[in-house]
Amino acid sequence: MICLASKSPGRLATLRAAGVDPLVRVSTVDEAAILAALASSRAQEGRPAPGPAEQVQELALAKAGEVAARTLPTEAEVVVGCDSMLEIDGRAVGKPRTPERARECWLAMRGRSGVLHSGHALVRTEDGERALGVSSTVVRFGCPTLEEIDAYIATGEPLWCAGAFTIDGLGGAFIEGVDGDPHGVVGLSLPLLRRLLAGLGMRWTALWARD
């Protein structure tokens, strides 16, 4: 049994479609505080500010660690934490949260490409052993009209999604294609997860739900 430290319906649906029915336990970490601390640490060390891939890795680890601390080995052997951000023009785009910000995102993205980074962190509950990785996939956006953009934003879906879009929901019609793992765009890369679990001594096929 694994525990998914996320409230994302897309990540949960991806696992269930792949035959894995996880325990779900949502993390309570302060994402803004974690990123601020990471940026401060880099500045004090005289190092460059963390890029989107580093940020999602740090957030995924914080989420997995927080949930693992309150999950017994008898409940789940491994806790899986994830976080996603879109990188476009070297800039990180997280959840827009407001219609105005979502509209700005889409006006900047349409007809262009970006890279969706999804950080993965696994923590074994028995001994705290960790396995980390980032899935990065190029996303090619279509050119929705202003009316289509406004209609999409009005649904509320893009407000709480990294990059203001989904590929597995209403936003899928505005995505022309991806170069890389499409599951990573949903927020959980199945091939990467399989490899990380193997590194912790767990066999993917043993997680398949069976009657």
Side-chain angles (χ1 to χ4, degrees), residues 16-60:
R16 285 179 170 167
V20 180
D21 192 15
L23 171 70
V24 176
R25 192 160 285 169
V26 181
S27 72
T28 59
V29 300
D30 185 333
E31 296 184 22
I34 291 168
L35 292 181
L38 177 62
S40 176
S41 173
R42 290 296 179 83
Q44 291 176 5
E45 296 170 357
R47 299 169 61 194
E54 295 173 282
Q55 293 179 52
V56 295
Q57 184 69 94
E58 189 76 8
L59 289 172

Short mmCIF file of all heavy atoms in Angstrom, two decimals, residues 16-60:
data_model
loop_
_atom_site.label_atom_id
_atom_site.label_comp_id
_atom_site.label_asym_id
_atom_site.label_seq_id
_atom_site.Cartn_x
_atom_site.Cartn_y
_atom_site.Cartn_z
N ARG A 16 -5.45 5.20 -9.91
CA ARG A 16 -6.52 4.19 -9.94
C ARG A 16 -6.67 3.58 -11.33
O ARG A 16 -6.91 2.38 -11.46
CB ARG A 16 -7.83 4.83 -9.48
CG ARG A 16 -7.87 5.06 -7.97
CD ARG A 16 -9.15 5.71 -7.53
NE ARG A 16 -9.27 5.71 -6.06
CZ ARG A 16 -10.15 6.43 -5.38
NH1 ARG A 16 -11.02 7.21 -6.03
NH2 ARG A 16 -10.18 6.36 -4.06
N ALA A 17 -6.51 4.40 -12.37
CA ALA A 17 -6.59 3.87 -13.73
C ALA A 17 -5.44 2.90 -14.01
O ALA A 17 -5.58 2.00 -14.85
CB ALA A 17 -6.56 5.01 -14.74
N ALA A 18 -4.33 3.09 -13.28
CA ALA A 18 -3.17 2.20 -13.46
C ALA A 18 -3.22 1.00 -12.53
O ALA A 18 -2.25 0.25 -12.43
CB ALA A 18 -1.88 2.98 -13.22
N GLY A 19 -4.34 0.83 -11.83
CA GLY A 19 -4.52 -0.35 -10.98
C GLY A 19 -4.06 -0.20 -9.55
O GLY A 19 -4.01 -1.18 -8.81
N VAL A 20 -3.75 1.03 -9.13
CA VAL A 20 -3.27 1.27 -7.77
C VAL A 20 -4.30 2.11 -7.02
O VAL A 20 -4.67 3.20 -7.46
CB VAL A 20 -1.91 2.00 -7.78
CG1 VAL A 20 -1.42 2.24 -6.36
CG2 VAL A 20 -0.89 1.20 -8.58
N ASP A 21 -4.77 1.60 -5.88
CA ASP A 21 -5.76 2.32 -5.08
C ASP A 21 -5.09 2.75 -3.77
O ASP A 21 -5.04 1.99 -2.81
CB ASP A 21 -6.96 1.41 -4.79
CG ASP A 21 -8.14 2.19 -4.22
OD1 ASP A 21 -8.13 3.42 -4.31
OD2 ASP A 21 -9.07 1.56 -3.68
N PRO A 22 -4.56 3.98 -3.72
CA PRO A 22 -3.76 4.38 -2.56
C PRO A 22 -4.59 4.91 -1.40
O PRO A 22 -5.76 5.29 -1.57
CB PRO A 22 -2.91 5.52 -3.14
CG PRO A 22 -3.85 6.18 -4.10
CD PRO A 22 -4.64 5.05 -4.73
N LEU A 23 -3.97 4.93 -0.25
CA LEU A 23 -4.48 5.72 0.86
C LEU A 23 -4.24 7.18 0.49
O LEU A 23 -3.21 7.50 -0.11
CB LEU A 23 -3.72 5.37 2.14
CG LEU A 23 -3.96 6.25 3.38
CD1 LEU A 23 -5.36 6.02 3.93
CD2 LEU A 23 -2.91 5.93 4.45
N VAL A 24 -5.18 8.07 0.78
CA VAL A 24 -5.00 9.50 0.49
C VAL A 24 -4.96 10.27 1.80
O VAL A 24 -5.86 10.16 2.62
CB VAL A 24 -6.13 10.04 -0.41
CG1 VAL A 24 -5.96 11.55 -0.61
CG2 VAL A 24 -6.14 9.33 -1.75
N ARG A 25 -3.89 11.02 1.98
CA ARG A 25 -3.73 11.83 3.18
C ARG A 25 -3.09 13.16 2.75
O ARG A 25 -1.93 13.20 2.38
CB ARG A 25 -2.86 11.09 4.20
CG ARG A 25 -2.85 11.70 5.58
CD ARG A 25 -2.40 10.67 6.61
NE ARG A 25 -3.44 9.70 6.90
CZ ARG A 25 -3.25 8.57 7.59
NH1 ARG A 25 -2.05 8.28 8.05
NH2 ARG A 25 -4.24 7.75 7.82
N VAL A 26 -3.87 14.23 2.78
CA VAL A 26 -3.43 15.51 2.24
C VAL A 26 -2.44 16.19 3.17
O VAL A 26 -2.64 16.23 4.39
CB VAL A 26 -4.65 16.43 1.99
CG1 VAL A 26 -4.21 17.77 1.41
CG2 VAL A 26 -5.64 15.74 1.05
N SER A 27 -1.38 16.74 2.59
CA SER A 27 -0.37 17.43 3.39
C SER A 27 -0.88 18.81 3.82
O SER A 27 -1.77 19.38 3.18
CB SER A 27 0.92 17.60 2.59
OG SER A 27 0.75 18.56 1.57
N THR A 28 -0.28 19.33 4.87
CA THR A 28 -0.69 20.64 5.41
C THR A 28 0.47 21.63 5.38
O THR A 28 0.48 22.59 6.13
CB THR A 28 -1.21 20.49 6.85
OG1 THR A 28 -0.17 19.92 7.67
CG2 THR A 28 -2.42 19.59 6.91
N VAL A 29 1.45 21.41 4.53
CA VAL A 29 2.63 22.28 4.50
C VAL A 29 2.28 23.64 3.92
O VAL A 29 1.35 23.78 3.12
CB VAL A 29 3.78 21.65 3.69
CG1 VAL A 29 4.20 20.32 4.29
CG2 VAL A 29 3.39 21.48 2.23
N ASP A 30 3.02 24.65 4.33
CA ASP A 30 2.89 26.02 3.82
C ASP A 30 3.83 26.15 2.63
O ASP A 30 5.03 26.35 2.81
CB ASP A 30 3.24 27.02 4.92
CG ASP A 30 3.00 28.46 4.50
OD1 ASP A 30 3.05 28.75 3.29
OD2 ASP A 30 2.79 29.31 5.40
N GLU A 31 3.29 26.04 1.43
CA GLU A 31 4.13 26.03 0.24
C GLU A 31 4.91 27.33 0.07
O GLU A 31 6.09 27.33 -0.28
CB GLU A 31 3.28 25.77 -1.00
CG GLU A 31 2.62 24.39 -1.00
CD GLU A 31 1.86 24.12 -2.29
OE1 GLU A 31 2.16 24.77 -3.31
OE2 GLU A 31 0.96 23.25 -2.27
N ALA A 32 4.25 28.46 0.32
CA ALA A 32 4.92 29.75 0.15
C ALA A 32 6.10 29.89 1.11
O ALA A 32 7.16 30.40 0.74
CB ALA A 32 3.92 30.89 0.38
N ALA A 33 5.92 29.41 2.34
CA ALA A 33 6.99 29.50 3.34
C ALA A 33 8.17 28.62 2.95
O ALA A 33 9.34 29.00 3.14
CB ALA A 33 6.46 29.09 4.72
N ILE A 34 7.88 27.44 2.39
CA ILE A 34 8.95 26.52 1.98
C ILE A 34 9.77 27.13 0.84
O ILE A 34 11.00 27.10 0.86
CB ILE A 34 8.36 25.17 1.56
CG1 ILE A 34 7.80 24.45 2.78
CG2 ILE A 34 9.41 24.30 0.87
CD1 ILE A 34 6.95 23.25 2.45
N LEU A 35 9.10 27.72 -0.13
CA LEU A 35 9.81 28.33 -1.25
C LEU A 35 10.59 29.56 -0.81
O LEU A 35 11.70 29.80 -1.30
CB LEU A 35 8.83 28.69 -2.36
CG LEU A 35 8.16 27.52 -3.07
CD1 LEU A 35 7.23 28.02 -4.17
CD2 LEU A 35 9.20 26.58 -3.67
N ALA A 36 10.03 30.32 0.13
CA ALA A 36 10.74 31.49 0.64
C ALA A 36 12.01 31.08 1.37
O ALA A 36 13.07 31.70 1.23
CB ALA A 36 9.83 32.30 1.56
N ALA A 37 11.90 30.00 2.15
CA ALA A 37 13.07 29.51 2.89
C ALA A 37 14.13 28.98 1.94
O ALA A 37 15.33 29.20 2.15
CB ALA A 37 12.64 28.41 3.86
N LEU A 38 13.71 28.31 0.88
CA LEU A 38 14.65 27.79 -0.11
C LEU A 38 15.38 28.93 -0.81
O LEU A 38 16.61 28.90 -0.97
CB LEU A 38 13.91 26.94 -1.14
CG LEU A 38 14.74 26.37 -2.30
CD1 LEU A 38 15.82 25.44 -1.77
CD2 LEU A 38 13.83 25.63 -3.29
N ALA A 39 14.64 29.96 -1.21
CA ALA A 39 15.25 31.10 -1.89
C ALA A 39 16.21 31.83 -0.96
O ALA A 39 17.30 32.24 -1.37
CB ALA A 39 14.16 32.06 -2.38
N SER A 40 15.83 31.97 0.32
CA SER A 40 16.69 32.65 1.30
C SER A 40 17.98 31.89 1.51
O SER A 40 19.07 32.47 1.58
CB SER A 40 15.94 32.81 2.62
OG SER A 40 16.77 33.38 3.61
N SER A 41 17.87 30.56 1.61
CA SER A 41 19.04 29.72 1.81
C SER A 41 20.01 29.85 0.64
O SER A 41 21.23 29.96 0.83
CB SER A 41 18.61 28.27 1.99
OG SER A 41 19.72 27.41 2.04
N ARG A 42 19.47 29.86 -0.58
CA ARG A 42 20.32 29.99 -1.75
C ARG A 42 21.02 31.35 -1.77
O ARG A 42 22.20 31.46 -2.12
CB ARG A 42 19.48 29.82 -3.02
CG ARG A 42 18.99 28.40 -3.23
CD ARG A 42 20.17 27.45 -3.45
NE ARG A 42 19.72 26.09 -3.63
CZ ARG A 42 19.29 25.59 -4.78
NH1 ARG A 42 19.25 26.34 -5.87
NH2 ARG A 42 18.90 24.33 -4.85
N ALA A 43 20.29 32.39 -1.39
CA ALA A 43 20.86 33.74 -1.39
C ALA A 43 21.99 33.85 -0.38
O ALA A 43 23.03 34.45 -0.66
CB ALA A 43 19.77 34.76 -1.11
N GLN A 44 21.78 33.26 0.80
CA GLN A 44 22.81 33.31 1.84
C GLN A 44 24.06 32.56 1.42
O GLN A 44 25.18 32.93 1.79
CB GLN A 44 22.26 32.72 3.13
CG GLN A 44 21.19 33.57 3.79
CD GLN A 44 20.58 32.91 5.01
OE1 GLN A 44 21.01 31.83 5.42
NE2 GLN A 44 19.57 33.53 5.59
N GLU A 45 23.88 31.52 0.62
CA GLU A 45 25.02 30.73 0.15
C GLU A 45 25.66 31.33 -1.10
O GLU A 45 26.67 30.83 -1.59
CB GLU A 45 24.56 29.30 -0.17
CG GLU A 45 24.05 28.54 1.05
CD GLU A 45 23.39 27.23 0.67
OE1 GLU A 45 23.28 26.96 -0.56
OE2 GLU A 45 22.97 26.49 1.56
N GLY A 46 25.05 32.41 -1.61
CA GLY A 46 25.57 33.03 -2.81
C GLY A 46 25.33 32.22 -4.06
O GLY A 46 26.04 32.37 -5.06
N ARG A 47 24.30 31.39 -4.02
CA ARG A 47 23.98 30.53 -5.17
C ARG A 47 22.79 31.10 -5.92
O ARG A 47 22.00 31.89 -5.38
CB ARG A 47 23.68 29.11 -4.68
CG ARG A 47 24.84 28.45 -3.95
CD ARG A 47 24.38 27.17 -3.26
NE ARG A 47 23.86 26.20 -4.20
CZ ARG A 47 23.17 25.13 -3.85
NH1 ARG A 47 22.89 24.90 -2.57
NH2 ARG A 47 22.73 24.27 -4.75
N PRO A 48 22.62 30.71 -7.20
CA PRO A 48 21.48 31.20 -7.98
C PRO A 48 20.15 30.79 -7.36
O PRO A 48 20.06 29.79 -6.64
CB PRO A 48 21.67 30.52 -9.35
CG PRO A 48 23.12 30.16 -9.40
CD PRO A 48 23.51 29.84 -7.98
N ALA A 49 19.13 31.57 -7.63
CA ALA A 49 17.79 31.25 -7.14
C ALA A 49 17.34 29.91 -7.72
O ALA A 49 17.70 29.57 -8.84
CB ALA A 49 16.81 32.35 -7.52
N PRO A 50 16.58 29.14 -6.96
CA PRO A 50 16.14 27.83 -7.46
C PRO A 50 15.21 27.95 -8.66
O PRO A 50 14.33 28.82 -8.68
CB PRO A 50 15.43 27.22 -6.25
CG PRO A 50 14.98 28.40 -5.45
CD PRO A 50 16.05 29.42 -5.62
N GLY A 51 15.41 27.09 -9.64
CA GLY A 51 14.53 27.08 -10.81
C GLY A 51 13.27 26.29 -10.53
O GLY A 51 13.11 25.69 -9.45
N PRO A 52 12.33 26.26 -11.47
CA PRO A 52 11.06 25.55 -11.27
C PRO A 52 11.24 24.08 -10.91
O PRO A 52 10.53 23.56 -10.03
CB PRO A 52 10.36 25.72 -12.62
CG PRO A 52 10.92 26.98 -13.17
CD PRO A 52 12.35 27.00 -12.74
N ALA A 53 12.18 23.37 -11.56
CA ALA A 53 12.37 21.95 -11.26
C ALA A 53 12.83 21.75 -9.82
O ALA A 53 12.39 20.82 -9.13
CB ALA A 53 13.38 21.33 -12.23
N GLU A 54 13.71 22.62 -9.34
CA GLU A 54 14.18 22.53 -7.96
C GLU A 54 13.06 22.86 -6.98
O GLU A 54 12.95 22.25 -5.90
CB GLU A 54 15.35 23.48 -7.75
CG GLU A 54 16.59 23.13 -8.54
CD GLU A 54 17.65 24.20 -8.41
OE1 GLU A 54 17.53 25.25 -9.07
OE2 GLU A 54 18.59 24.01 -7.62
N GLN A 55 12.23 23.83 -7.35
CA GLN A 55 11.14 24.22 -6.47
C GLN A 55 10.12 23.10 -6.29
O GLN A 55 9.68 22.82 -5.17
CB GLN A 55 10.45 25.48 -7.02
CG GLN A 55 11.32 26.72 -6.98
CD GLN A 55 10.60 27.92 -7.55
OE1 GLN A 55 9.49 28.26 -7.15
NE2 GLN A 55 11.23 28.59 -8.51
N VAL A 56 9.74 22.45 -7.40
CA VAL A 56 8.75 21.38 -7.27
C VAL A 56 9.31 20.18 -6.52
O VAL A 56 8.59 19.48 -5.81
CB VAL A 56 8.18 20.95 -8.64
CG1 VAL A 56 7.39 22.08 -9.27
CG2 VAL A 56 9.27 20.44 -9.59
N GLN A 57 10.63 19.95 -6.67
CA GLN A 57 11.25 18.85 -5.92
C GLN A 57 11.22 19.13 -4.43
O GLN A 57 10.91 18.26 -3.61
CB GLN A 57 12.68 18.64 -6.39
CG GLN A 57 13.37 17.44 -5.75
CD GLN A 57 12.81 16.12 -6.21
OE1 GLN A 57 13.30 15.52 -7.13
NE2 GLN A 57 11.74 15.64 -5.58
N GLU A 58 11.52 20.37 -4.05
CA GLU A 58 11.52 20.76 -2.63
C GLU A 58 10.12 20.66 -2.04
O GLU A 58 9.94 20.16 -0.92
CB GLU A 58 12.05 22.19 -2.50
CG GLU A 58 12.29 22.63 -1.07
CD GLU A 58 13.55 22.06 -0.46
OE1 GLU A 58 14.34 21.42 -1.20
OE2 GLU A 58 13.77 22.26 0.76
N LEU A 59 9.12 21.11 -2.78
CA LEU A 59 7.74 21.05 -2.29
C LEU A 59 7.25 19.61 -2.18
O LEU A 59 6.56 19.25 -1.22
CB LEU A 59 6.82 21.86 -3.20
CG LEU A 59 6.99 23.37 -3.15
CD1 LEU A 59 6.17 24.04 -4.24
CD2 LEU A 59 6.60 23.92 -1.78
N ALA A 60 7.59 18.79 -3.16
CA ALA A 60 7.17 17.38 -3.12
C ALA A 60 7.76 16.68 -1.91
O ALA A 60 7.08 15.91 -1.22
CB ALA A 60 7.60 16.67 -4.41
#
